Amino acid sequence: ARVLAEHGYAGTNTNRIAETAGVSIGSLYQYFPNKNALIAALHDRHDQQMLALIDQVLDGNPAATLRERVAAIVAASLRAHLLEPALHRVLEREFPLFDPPRDHSRADQDIHRRMRHLLELHRAEIAQPDRELATYVVLRIMESMVHAAPLEPPAGFSAGQLEQAVVDAVMGYLGMAPARATARPARARKTAR
């Protein structure tokens, strides 16, 4: 992950990875036949991390509201993506094809099932009648906005404001009012005067 983030795909090779990891090239090849296999493993690791985050939220406070649970998932997802922004830039911009199709990814299927379960638990709060479609849309909203954060962070907004905007987008789609309006950055207000 570090080598790919620092050197990009073209500057990454298995020799450099083995050297950085402190292992022999032969040991590396026992587990990964080439750098593409390593990149695919990074995508898989990311999917497993997202699944673990959702499980942690769902296993947490059973009295939490849907908004609180969505906010917790969004906050954890944003934190995870912002920990290694350079790596996520490389993976999302250069290598989305290494991410297996959703119908072939067990992690993606598990994430979908868990989000579907969450929406089912809170079905009385949701205006969207088709919860299967709602699950798909909610996951796409969260995924696209969370992935955009390290790729194209909005200038002048805090991480908290970005989090709130993602939660409001999800909750708005589900038919629930936003918690509060997101304040414009100070410099934008000054230029508007």
Side-chain angles (χ1 to χ4, degrees):
R2 188 168 63 240
V3 171
L4 188 62
E6 290 175 7
H7 301 283
Y9 183 79
T12 297
N13 60 53
T14 51
N15 287 327
R16 182 173 272 161
I17 293 168
E19 181 182 320
T20 302
V23 299
S24 72
I25 191 69
S27 294
L28 181 71
Y29 282 135
Q30 285 180 328
Y31 299 97
F32 302 100
N34 53 46
K35 72 178 175 180
N36 291 346
L38 283 159
I39 294 168
L42 285 173
H43 270 284
D44 185 56
R45 180 187 78 169
H46 173 69
D47 288 346
Q48 293 301 324
Q49 288 170 339
M50 293 301 100
L51 182 60
L53 291 174
I54 291 172
D55 281 345
Q56 190 174 19
V57 169
L58 293 179
D59 293 341
N61 180 5
T65 66
L66 178 59
R67 179 180 296 280
E68 290 167 339
R69 287 178 165 174
V70 167
I73 291 169
V74 168
S77 297
L78 278 169
R79 274 193 310 274
H81 283 79
L82 293 173
L83 281 177
E84 299 177 299
L87 175 64
H88 285 291
R89 274 188 217 102
V90 172
L91 290 176
E92 294 305 318
R93 283 200 172 136
E94 297 183 39
F95 303 104
L97 297 177
F98 283 96
D99 207 7
R102 293 186 203 295
D103 56 343
H104 294 288
S105 168
R106 183 169 179 93
D108 282 344
Q109 292 170 10
D110 287 343
I111 289 168
H112 183 91
R113 273 193 292 277
R114 283 160 175 82
M115 187 59 70
R116 175 73 168 81
H117 176 69
L118 177 62
L119 296 183
E120 192 62 40
L121 287 174
H122 294 275
R123 65 185 168 273
E125 303 169 51
I126 299 171
Q128 295 295 332
D130 187 333
R131 283 180 294 284
E132 187 64 27
L133 177 60
T135 301
Y136 173 84
V137 172
V138 164
L139 286 172
R140 295 303 76 75
I141 290 171
M142 288 171 48
E143 179 182 14
S144 64
M145 293 181 82
V146 165
H147 282 164
L151 299 177
E152 301 168 0
F157 291 95
S158 70
Q161 288 172 306
L162 182 57
E163 257 176 55
Q164 190 60 52
V166 176
V167 173
D168 286 347
V170 169
M171 300 312 286
Y173 166 74
L174 293 174
M176 302 176 77
R180 60 182 160 80
T182 302
R184 292 173 58 194
R187 98 184 127 165
R189 283 194 303 263
K190 288 178 185 174
T191 58
R193 289 183 184 167

